[in-house]
Amino acid sequence: MAIIVVRAPIPGIFYDKPAPDQPPFKTEGDSVAPGDSLALVEVMKTFNPVKSSKNGRFVRYLVENEDELMAGQPIAEIDVD
Amino acid sequence: MFEMTDRKPAGRIRRLLVANRGEIAVRIIRAAHELGIQTIQVHSQADGDMLAARLAGERIEIGPSRANKSYLRPEAILDAARRTGADAIHPGYGFLAENAEFADMTENAGLIFVGPSGDIMRTMGDKARARKAAETAGVPTVPGSRGVVADVDEALTLAEAIGYPLLLKATAGGGGRGIRLASNPAELKDLFIQAAAEARAAFGDPGIYLERFIPRARHIEVQVLGDGENVIHLFERECSLQRRRQKIWEEAPAASLDDDIRQRLCRSALELARAVRYRGAGTVEFLYDENRRAFYFIEMNTRIQVEHPVTEMVTGIDLVREMIRIAGGHRLSLRQEDIRLTGHAIECRINAEDPALDFTPVPGTVETLHIPGGPGLRFDTMLYPGYTIPPFYDSLLGKLIAWDHSRPQAISRMARALREMRITGVPTTLPLLLELTGAADVREGAVHTGWLEEWLASKTLDLPLEKAACP
C-alpha cells in the first residue's frame, strides 16, 4: 500500500463533482478502479474528466471545488493496492 | 461616414469602458482611439497582461479569473465605470453583451450602453418572442411551436403538425447551446424532459420551443445598423462551416444567393429591424433552404458579432465605429444606397485547439508569432510573442480575414496567408483551416451547416502540426 498523488493534466478550474447539485466523484475510503472519474477540469469552456489509472482506495482531494489549477498541480491522493 | 473635421465625432462619449477581453476588446479600443475617445479596459486577475489592457489608456481590475466573478458581474463592471469616470460601456460580444438587465443598469447609472436598449434585447433576445415579432413583420420563420411549449403532451401534439425531425431549443439559449434533435415521438419525449431540466440549470429558464429541422440548410445572416429611427442593412454573410454549432469560417457575400433572393432576404431583415426600431449593430440570422429557394428567420443577435470584419471588408463600413457613434447620439449618417458590395471576403477563426486531439482546447504561451501581410489581408487578434493564453476563457486566438475581387481569388489569398502564418507554443486550428481551403466542396461553395462535421468524420485527419516554416 502506498499513497500516490493524482495531478491535473491541464490548467483550468477544478470540480470534485460532475454537476453543482450532485455529490463528489469520490469520498474517503471509496474504492477506485482504472477509468473511474475523479474530477473535472474546465479549460476554455470545455469540461475534461480526470480519470484514475490505478486500483486502490480514495484518500482525499488536495484542492477545493472550483479552485484554479496549474498543469501538474496535485489534486487528489489514492492509496493504491 | 464621418469627417475628422466633425467637432465631436463620437458625440457625447468621451471615456469608453471596454467590458470584454480578447480580440474584440482590442478591436473596440482601436475604433475608439480613432474617434478621439479615451479608453478604459477592465480585466480579471488572469488578464492583466492582455493586449487590450496594454493598448487602452487606462486599465482596472474587476475581480478573480473566473468570468462569473469578473466579466459576468454587472456590479463589478459598473463599479469600475464609476471609479474611472467612464461615460459609456461597450460590451463586445458574449459575457454581458446581450444581458438586458445590464443594459438597463448601465442606463440607470447615467451611462451610455453601446448597443440596443434593454427593451429591444428582451424582445429580440428571447427566441420565442423574437419569432412572434418576425411573424408580425411578415418575415418567414421555420415551422414550429408558437412560443414556449408547456409540457411533453403539448410537445407531442405540436410535433405531429410540425413534422419530424425537429429541434428542441431553449428559449434562453444561444451560441448553439441548449439545442437537441428529435427524430421521432419517443426521442422527443425523452429529450423534452432533459432539455427543460438542462435549460433551467444552464440559463435559469426551463422554456423550450420546437422547430422543424431543415437538413442541409445554409446559415445566412444579414447585418443591420440602426439609430432607433432609420435602419439599413449591410448585406449578408454565409456562416455554414460550423463544428459543434460554432462557426469557424465565414464569408461575405453568400455565394449561394442570386440577386433576387439576396434582395428579398435583406429586405426581410430590414423589415424586422425596423419593426422594433432597432438601435446599434445587429444581425438577423436565417436558415436558407437552397432546394426550395426559401429562407427562414431563426434569431436576432443584438450585438456586434465575431464575424463582423467580412462585412466591413466588402462594404468599407467600420461597424464598430458606427455603433459607437450611434450610441454617442449621432443619427445614422449612411443611407441604404450608400452601401455597395465590392469583392468577396472570408474570415477564418484561429482557435487554441488541437485538431489531432479532437479539438481539445489547449492554453499555453505563444513563442513565435508571424502574421502574414500583403494586400487584402487583416488579422484581428490579441496575441503577441510571450503572451500566455489563460485557461479560463474561450479558445479564439484571432481571426484572419482575406479580401479579393472574387471568391476563388479570396480563397487563394486565404490559403497563401494561412501557409505564411506561424504560431508556435500552442496548438492551433491553422492546419484544419488550410486543409479547408483545398476541399472541393468548399471551393465550389457546396456546403451546409452539417458539412464540416460530416467531412471531419469521413476522413482520417492527417494534420501536420509542424507546417513548413515561413521564409
Side-chain angles (χ1 to χ4, degrees), chain A residues 10 41 43-44 46-48, chain B residues 243-244 351-363 395 427-429:
Chain A
I10 40 175
V41 179
V43 56
M44 293 170 155
T46 58
F47 291 85
N48 303 274
Chain B
R243 192 181 154 273
R244 293 186 188 156
N351 293 336
E353 294 170 5
D354 192 341
L357 285 175
D358 194 29
F359 299 92
T360 306
V362 184
S395 57
T428 71
T429 48

Side-chain angles (χ1 to χ4, degrees), chain B residues 400-413:
Chain B
L400 184 62
I401 302 111
W403 176 93
D404 212 327
H405 294 284
S406 69
R407 184 172 185 272
Q409 287 171 309
I411 294 175
S412 181
R413 180 165 277 169

Side-chain angles (χ1 to χ4, degrees), chain B residues 94 285 330 470:
Chain B
E285 296 191 331
H330 281 283
C470 56

Side-chain angles (χ1 to χ4, degrees), chain A residues 1-77:
Chain A
M1 303 287 267
I3 304 264
I4 61 146
V5 163
V6 179
R7 292 174 187 276
I10 40 175
I13 300 159
F14 170 84
Y15 297 95
D16 64 10
K17 44 181 81 96
D21 56 354
Q22 287 181 32
F25 287 103
K26 297 287 177 189
T27 51
E28 190 184 342
D30 283 357
S31 67
V32 175
D36 281 7
S37 289
L38 303 175
L40 288 177
V41 179
E42 179 187 356
V43 56
M44 293 170 155
K45 297 181 171 178
T46 58
F47 291 85
N48 303 274
V50 181
K51 295 188 172 176
S52 176
S53 56
K54 310 274 187 200
N55 272 307
R57 300 230 157 253
F58 188 80
V59 181
R60 59 177 178 139
Y61 288 111
L62 300 169
V63 280
E64 296 284 315
N65 191 47
E66 301 191 9
D67 271 3
E68 293 167 13
L69 293 176
M70 314 255 277
Q73 186 174 337
I75 56 172
E77 287 177 349

Side-chain angles (χ1 to χ4, degrees), chain B residues 142-402:
Chain B
V142 184
S145 62
R146 289 179 172 271
V148 169
V149 179
D151 53 32
V152 180
D153 290 337
E154 192 190 0
L156 289 166
T157 310
L158 287 170
E160 290 309 313
I162 297 164
Y164 291 93
L166 49 78
L167 296 171
L168 294 83
K169 296 190 170 186
T171 186
R177 297 182 310 155
I179 299 177
R180 284 178 165 76
L181 177 68
S183 304
N184 55 54
E187 278 183 22
L188 174 61
K189 205 170 164 179
D190 286 350
L191 291 173
F192 187 87
I193 297 163
Q194 269 181 37
E198 184 193 88
R200 179 182 281 120
F203 314 116
D205 176 353
I208 297 290
Y209 65 101
L210 306 179
E211 222 173 71
R212 185 195 291 164
F213 177 62
I214 297 160
R216 304 177 77 80
R218 292 174 186 266
H219 176 112
I220 297 181
E221 58 187 34
V222 178
Q223 177 70 51
V224 297
L225 204 51
D227 64 10
E229 287 185 33
N230 292 309
V231 187
I232 59 168
H233 73 80
L234 291 94
F235 295 99
E236 81 287 354
R237 298 184 282 262
E238 173 157 0
C239 319
S240 297
L241 290 185
Q242 305 181 1
R243 192 181 154 273
R244 293 186 188 156
R245 298 183 191 276
Q246 296 294 320
K247 302 162 187 169
I248 70 158
W249 167 302
E250 299 104 339
E251 305 189 21
S256 53
L257 300 185
D258 60 35
D259 283 344
D260 172 54
I261 289 276
R262 172 169 296 117
Q263 267 195 16
R264 282 165 45 205
L265 180 81
C266 294
R267 199 176 304 133
S268 261
L270 207 47
E271 273 159 20
L272 177 57
R274 280 185 178 143
V276 296
R277 298 165 68 88
Y278 195 77
R279 195 185 73 209
T283 299
V284 185
E285 296 191 331
F286 295 92
L287 285 179
Y288 179 55
D289 185 336
E290 203 170 6
N291 296 326
R292 297 185 190 178
R293 285 170 56 86
F295 54 84
Y296 307 100
F297 168 76
I298 39 179
E299 64 178 29
M300 180 166 189
N301 295 319
T302 56
R303 54 170 156 81
I304 191 74
Q305 280 192 272
V306 177
E307 60 270 27
H308 76 274
V310 288
T311 296
E312 296 183 327
M313 297 293 267
V314 295
T315 61
I317 307 297
D318 184 325
L319 289 166
V320 179
R321 174 189 291 170
E322 292 301 325
M323 72 190 292
I324 294 172
R325 281 172 49 75
I326 290 165
H330 281 283
R331 298 290 304 277
L332 195 59
S333 55
L334 301 155
R335 292 162 304 166
Q336 189 63 58
E337 56 268 32
D338 297 330
I339 311 300
R340 297 196 185 282
L341 277 177
T342 308
H344 194 91
I346 299 171
E347 172 182 282
C348 283
R349 297 195 194 186
I350 298 163
N351 293 336
E353 294 170 5
D354 192 341
L357 285 175
D358 194 29
F359 299 92
T360 306
V362 184
T365 300
V366 177
E367 288 161 5
T368 54
L369 173 66
H370 172 78
I371 298 172
L377 279 181
R378 165 173 168 184
F379 187 44
D380 281 23
T381 187
M382 79 297 204
L383 295 185
Y384 56 83
Y387 174 62
T388 297
I389 301 146
F392 308 107
Y393 316 104
D394 70 39
S395 57
L396 181 66
L397 298 179
K399 311 176 308 202
L400 184 62
I401 302 111

Side-chain angles (χ1 to χ4, degrees), chain B residues 105-168:
Chain B
M105 287 166 76
T106 303
E107 300 278 337
N108 291 341
L111 304 172
I112 295 167
F113 180 81
V114 183
S117 67
D119 284 341
I120 292 177
M121 274 191 225
R122 268 182 283 271
T123 301
M124 301 316 291
D126 180 293
K127 291 186 183 175
R129 282 179 67 185
R131 202 183 146 90
K132 273 184 192 149
E135 283 165 3
T136 307
V139 178
T141 56
V142 184
S145 62
R146 289 179 172 271
V148 169
V149 179
D151 53 32
V152 180
D153 290 337
E154 192 190 0
L156 289 166
T157 310
L158 287 170
E160 290 309 313
I162 297 164
Y164 291 93
L166 49 78
L167 296 171
L168 294 83

Side-chain angles (χ1 to χ4, degrees), chain B residues 45-67:
Chain B
Q45 278 168 9
D47 269 345
D49 62 352
M50 70 178 175
L51 184 58
R54 294 181 170 198
L55 293 177
E58 296 166 41
R59 62 170 76 182
I60 180 166
E61 190 177 306
I62 50 163
S65 307
R66 301 186 53 190

